[in-house]
Amino acid sequence: MPTTTPLVWEATIALIIGLLAFDWFFHVRKAHAPSLREATVWSALYVGIALLFGVAVWVLGGPRMGAEYFSGYITEKALSIDNVFVFLVIMSSFKVPREDQQKVLLFGITFALIARTVFILLGAALIERFSWVFYLFGLVLLVTAGHLLVPDDHDPDKPNIVVRIVRRLFHASPHYDGDKLFTTWQGRRALTPMLLVMLAIGGTDILFAFDSIPAIFGLTQNVFIVFTATAFSLLGLRQLYFLVGGLLERLVYLSLGLAVILAFIGVKLVLHALHENNLPFINDGEPVPVIEIETGVSLVVIVAILLLTVVASLSSPKGKAKVAVSALRTRVADYLSLGRDAPPVLRRSAFEGMVAAQARVQALEPRFKALVQRPDALQNDLDRAHRAHAAATGTAPATGRLGLPPAATGDDDDRDRAD
């Protein structure tokens, strides 16, 4: 396999740092919620840069190196999209103002890049010294794949352990102060929720690294490919968040698809570990003659699984129901965020969008309405929005009943719920 010169490393790192710096100084300097056009243009640009880089790797490094890059990039991109679901939950639980979400996301991306670089260097060092680490990586991926198939019992309103510890040790304000990390509250200097949400995302990024780094090492042991595929999969994630938003929730089978991919890579790692075996209690310390999955085959399998996942999700009635409920939550939140001095045209447009989203949820089949999480909270927020509109326009409050059943009290945290 061709070696990567120090000059190539330096140029690549400079490109990645330059892209991050551009985001920090030109995109999130002024707090704003990007428009659909802005998110589309910049998402396409970042994906285009990643693909062009892959073409350069293919041309200069050869087909095998190129296939390893694209396999790693596609896998890491799929995993990063799954991470967006968690970011959505964190943003919602902390009620981060939409115009400040860009800065939080960019912090998460920067922290993830730093954390994963550390894990990459550590993983490369372990692989170089201990071939048995492939068994460990394979086991991690197989366990992760199994975990993705288990219903998620995460409570979106319960902060993670990092935030709980910080709140216990330090004085924290319950109110935002723009995008400031510190403010004055109750006469004392205090942490703002903005700092807490950054800590929550940073802690989550570390957990994500435990899945993503073994996954890409299962596709290639070339540190340059591992680093660049991981970095380019993270760049542009901020724009992707705003581009697809609630549409991501329509990918109802994404967890299943990722589970299959991670299990496939886990098996590939175990086979490679057997092929390189030197553990004395396995085949007397001698390599085991097993088949190894070629890089080209891995690329085809990963792409096929993702395409099947997307097609199955988009054709699923449950996916359409998830989008309808998610869109209504967003529309309600957008309306409630309007100030008293909001222009009448903007208020009317936001209200009409909310009513249209409400009608789509009201038209859902009862079996999908029964799967809506936190229906009481959604109904309460919708009622508040209707009362706020009536007060602002001097009209009688319109009915906003969705016909949702009350929340169940048992074990009702199903990963396939409608929102």
Side-chain angles (χ1 to χ4, degrees):
M1 184 177 293
T3 58
T4 306
T5 65
L7 180 61
V8 172
W9 268 105
E10 292 167 4
T12 303
I13 292 173
L15 172 63
I16 292 169
I17 292 176
L19 290 172
L20 275 175
F22 183 81
D23 260 358
W24 276 109
F25 291 106
F26 294 97
H27 279 163
V28 303
R29 196 170 186 177
K30 181 180 179 182
H32 72 286
S35 65
L36 179 62
R37 181 179 181 278
E38 178 184 343
T40 301
V41 170
W42 286 106
S43 293
L45 179 62
Y46 277 104
V47 171
I49 291 173
L51 295 179
L52 287 175
F53 185 86
V55 171
V57 169
W58 193 295
V59 172
L60 301 176
R64 180 181 174 184
M65 197 170 175
E68 288 180 350
Y69 170 83
F70 282 112
S71 298
Y73 173 74
I74 292 171
T75 300
E76 292 296 306
K77 197 68 174 179
L79 288 170
S80 68
I81 289 175
D82 190 48
N83 299 163
V84 169
F85 284 109
V86 181
F87 291 163
L88 284 166
V89 171
I90 293 174
M91 295 284 194
S92 174
S93 63
F94 279 91
K95 297 179 174 59
V96 181
R98 190 167 176 80
E99 62 272 13
D100 293 323
Q101 291 180 4
Q102 286 203 95
K103 182 166 289 187
V104 176
L105 287 167
L106 192 52
F107 168 82
I109 292 168
T110 304
F111 186 88
L113 187 54
I114 295 172
R116 294 186 193 193
T117 299
V118 173
F119 277 99
I120 288 169
L121 296 176
L122 179 61
L126 289 173
I127 289 171
E128 187 175 352
R129 296 190 60 184
F130 309 107
S131 61
W132 54 261
V133 78
F134 288 111
Y135 287 114
L136 179 61
F137 283 178
L139 179 62
V140 167
L141 293 183
L142 290 172
V143 170
T144 302
H147 178 72
L148 287 173
L149 300 178
V150 177
D152 186 8
D153 60 356
H154 174 72
D155 182 357
D157 295 320
K158 183 179 180 181
N160 66 21
I161 187 170
V162 176
V163 174
R164 295 201 300 272
I165 291 174
V166 170
R167 279 178 169 167
R168 185 172 300 174
L169 296 178
F170 300 96
H171 186 53
S173 165
H175 307 295
Y176 286 93
D177 187 4
D179 59 2
K180 295 179 181 178
L181 303 182
F182 299 91
T183 188
T184 301
W185 184 61
Q186 295 181 338
R188 298 166 53 195
R189 187 170 177 79
L191 311 179
T192 68
M194 181 62 67
L195 178 58
L196 296 178
V197 72
M198 286 185 174
L199 289 174
I201 286 184
T204 305
D205 281 330
I206 294 177
L207 296 178
F208 289 155
F210 282 101
D211 299 338
S212 66
I213 299 307
I216 194 167
F217 269 118
L219 298 169
T220 177
Q221 286 81 60
N222 186 317
V223 178
F224 179 76
I225 297 299
V226 172
F227 173 73
T228 53
T230 301
F232 283 113
S233 71
L234 292 171
L235 293 173
L237 193 60
R238 174 182 62 83
Q239 292 85 351
L240 183 65
Y241 174 94
F242 288 98
L243 175 62
V244 293
L247 293 180
L248 282 177
E249 297 193 357
R250 188 167 175 178
L251 299 179
V252 292
Y253 299 122
L254 180 61
S255 292
L256 177 60
L258 288 176
V260 174
I261 290 174
L262 292 181
F264 168 76
I265 299 175
V267 170
K268 184 176 186 294
L269 273 170
V270 172
L271 290 175
H272 181 72
L274 290 170
H275 190 267
E276 303 291 329
N277 178 65
N278 58 12
L279 294 178
F281 53 84
I282 297 180
N283 198 34
D284 295 326
E286 297 296 325
V288 180
V290 296
I291 62 169
E292 286 209 80
I293 303 172
E294 296 294 331
T295 303
V297 175
S298 299
L299 178 58
V300 171
V301 170
I302 291 168
V303 171
I305 293 172
L306 285 177
L307 286 176
L308 182 61
T309 299
V310 172
V311 171
S313 296
L314 294 181
S315 59
S316 166
K318 186 178 292 184
K320 297 175 182 178
K322 286 173 70 74
V323 173
V325 176
S326 176
L328 178 58
R329 290 192 192 276
T330 300
R331 292 288 189 176
V332 171
D334 288 345
Y335 188 87
L336 290 175
S337 68
L338 294 177
R340 293 184 178 181
D341 57 346
V345 174
L346 177 61
R347 183 176 297 279
R348 183 171 61 254
S349 174
F351 183 75
E352 290 174 352
M354 184 186 73
V355 170
Q358 172 188 326
R360 287 191 289 271
V361 173
Q362 289 172 329
L364 292 177
E365 297 178 28
R367 62 190 177 112
F368 293 128
K369 288 184 178 181
L371 298 176
V372 176
Q373 285 184 338
R374 295 176 291 164
D376 297 337
L378 176 58
Q379 185 63 67
N380 180 63
D381 288 344
L382 182 62
D383 291 341
R384 286 173 50 214
H386 275 285
R387 289 195 299 269
H389 186 73
T393 58
T395 58
T399 178
R401 305 311 300 176
L402 296 170
L404 300 177
T409 57
D411 184 12
D412 57 1
D413 287 323
D414 187 341
R415 178 179 290 274
D416 290 335
R417 297 216 155 181
D419 65 335

